[in-house]
């Protein structure tokens, strides 16, 4: 059972455009929703994260939008740059009583073209 | 070292052989995780060690897989009687206890089973 569904699988955006990646989760016990960024040959690295008590979190060009009732959250990358080209993973975990065990989506390969 | 260190970075083995993959976490991190990354499959949770607690082995795909963590630090993931479907990148991560989901990943060990 895939508990975190991610789309699209791949995405091509022009430089300066907005990249949007969507995720949906099933387990209502999840209470922590991070996004990880992975470059080829490297391990994933935390990009930004949100808790369900807020609907949006912004850090620089990266914004997470969270819809608790719909059990969905998304990553928006504003003014996308070629250096943003990477694979992005959404994830979810149950911090309260569940430790830090993350359940990941299947990833989105983003390419930002000049 | 400053980050999570994994070895070997690449391992090619023949079907039926046993392999050992090593992870050296960030000093002071009490939690250690193993994930498997297959092409197009995202990151699959394998096992989680937290301090002196019993490990969460719920993600291990079969009894051919095992892991241990010695002295609360270095961990070894062992795959016995390897199969071609075991080919993947095996990622190790560590975190501080209570660090709200921020995992620090190594660069992974790429396993190819011929």
């Amino acid at each position: 059972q895939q508990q975190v569904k991610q789309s699209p699988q791949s995405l091509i955006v022009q430089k300066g455009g907005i990249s949007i990646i969507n995720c949906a989760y099933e387990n209502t016990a999840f209470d922590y929703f991070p996004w990880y960024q992975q470059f080829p040959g490297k391990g994933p690295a935390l990009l930004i994260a949100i808790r369900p008590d807020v609907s949006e979190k912004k850090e620089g060009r990266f914004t997470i939008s969270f819809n608790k009732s719909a059990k969905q959250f998304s990553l928006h990358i504003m003014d996308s740059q070629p250096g943003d080209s990477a694979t992005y993973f959404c994830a979810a975990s149950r911090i309260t009583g569940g430790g830090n065990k993350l359940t990941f989506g299947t990833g989105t390969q983003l390419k930002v073209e000049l | 070292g400053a980050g999570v260190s994994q070895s070997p970075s690449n391992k090619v083995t023949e079907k039926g052989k046993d392999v050992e993959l090593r992870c050296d976490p960030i000093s002071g991190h009490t939690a250690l995780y193993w994930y498997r990354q297959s092409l197009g499959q995202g990151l699959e949770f394998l096992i989680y060690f937290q301090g002196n607690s019993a490990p969460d082995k719920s993600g291990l795909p079969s009894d051919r897989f095992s892991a241990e963590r010695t002295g609360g630090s270095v961990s070894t993931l062992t795959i016995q009687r390897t199969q071609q479907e075991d080919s993947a990148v095996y990622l190790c991560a560590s975190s501080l206890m209570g660090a709200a989901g921020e995992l620090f990943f190594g660069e992974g060990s790429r396993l190819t089973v011929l």
Side-chain angles (χ1 to χ4, degrees), chain B residues 44-68:
Chain B
E44 175 190 7
F45 168 77
L46 297 177
I47 189 169
Y48 162 47
F49 296 89
Q50 173 60 286
N52 295 321
S53 302
D56 178 349
K57 304 180 181 180
S58 61
L60 294 178
S62 77
D63 59 7
R64 295 186 296 104
F65 288 72
S66 63
E68 63 176 19

Side-chain angles (χ1 to χ4, degrees), chain B residues 21-96:
Chain B
L21 308 176
R22 175 188 167 105
C23 174
D24 202 340
I26 294 172
S27 178
H29 280 192
T30 57
L32 187 147
Y33 315 76
W34 284 97
Y35 282 83
R36 178 167 69 176
Q37 185 171 22
S38 304
L39 196 61
Q41 298 298 313
L43 285 84
E44 175 190 7
F45 168 77
L46 297 177
I47 189 169
Y48 162 47
F49 296 89
Q50 173 60 286
N52 295 321
S53 302
D56 178 349
K57 304 180 181 180
S58 61
L60 294 178
S62 77
D63 59 7
R64 295 186 296 104
F65 288 72
S66 63
E68 63 176 19
R69 189 178 185 191
T70 53
S73 180
V74 172
S75 176
T76 301
L77 177 69
T78 301
I79 308 172
Q80 295 179 311
R81 305 181 302 282
T82 52
Q83 303 295 310
Q84 288 184 331
E85 60 263 28
D86 300 334
S87 296
V89 176
Y90 290 82
L91 290 162
C92 176
S94 69
S95 74
L96 288 167

Side-chain angles (χ1 to χ4, degrees), chain A residues 38-43, chain B residues 107-108 110:
Chain A
Q38 185 180 30
F39 294 103
K42 303 294 184 182
Chain B
E107 295 191 345
R110 180 177 295 278

Side-chain angles (χ1 to χ4, degrees), chain A residues 46-57:
Chain A
L46 179 65
L47 185 63
I48 186 172
I50 196 167
R51 299 295 297 267
D53 52 344
V54 296
S55 60
E56 186 175 283
K57 183 173 181 180

Side-chain angles (χ1 to χ4, degrees), chain A:
Chain A
Q1 181 187 15
Q2 187 184 351
Q3 294 195 58
V4 180
K5 295 182 180 179
Q6 183 172 347
S7 63
Q9 186 174 354
S10 62
L11 181 61
I12 299 175
V13 173
Q14 296 299 308
K15 179 183 175 184
I18 302 173
S19 304
I20 301 175
I21 304 170
N22 300 299
C23 282
Y25 63 97
E26 298 169 3
N27 187 346
T28 56
F30 287 147
D31 57 7
Y32 181 74
F33 303 90
W35 285 88
Y36 278 75
Q37 179 188 54
Q38 185 180 30
F39 294 103
K42 303 294 184 182
L46 179 65
L47 185 63
I48 186 172
I50 196 167
R51 299 295 297 267
D53 52 344
V54 296
S55 60
E56 186 175 283
K57 183 173 181 180
K58 183 176 180 179
E59 289 184 1
R61 297 184 294 109
F62 300 91
T63 300
I64 300 179
S65 296
F66 185 79
N67 185 329
K68 188 174 181 178
S69 61
K71 294 188 287 185
Q72 294 176 346
F73 58 110
S74 61
L75 176 69
H76 295 235
I77 306 174
M78 312 300 287
D79 187 26
S80 299
Q81 300 296 312
D84 297 330
S85 298
T87 300
Y88 293 81
F89 293 94
C90 62
S93 69
R94 194 175 126 232
I95 296 295
T96 307
N100 288 345
K101 189 173 78 177
L102 289 171
T103 299
F104 284 88
T106 51
T108 296
Q109 216 164 0
L110 171 66
K111 183 177 181 182
V112 181
E113 293 183 335
L114 293 169

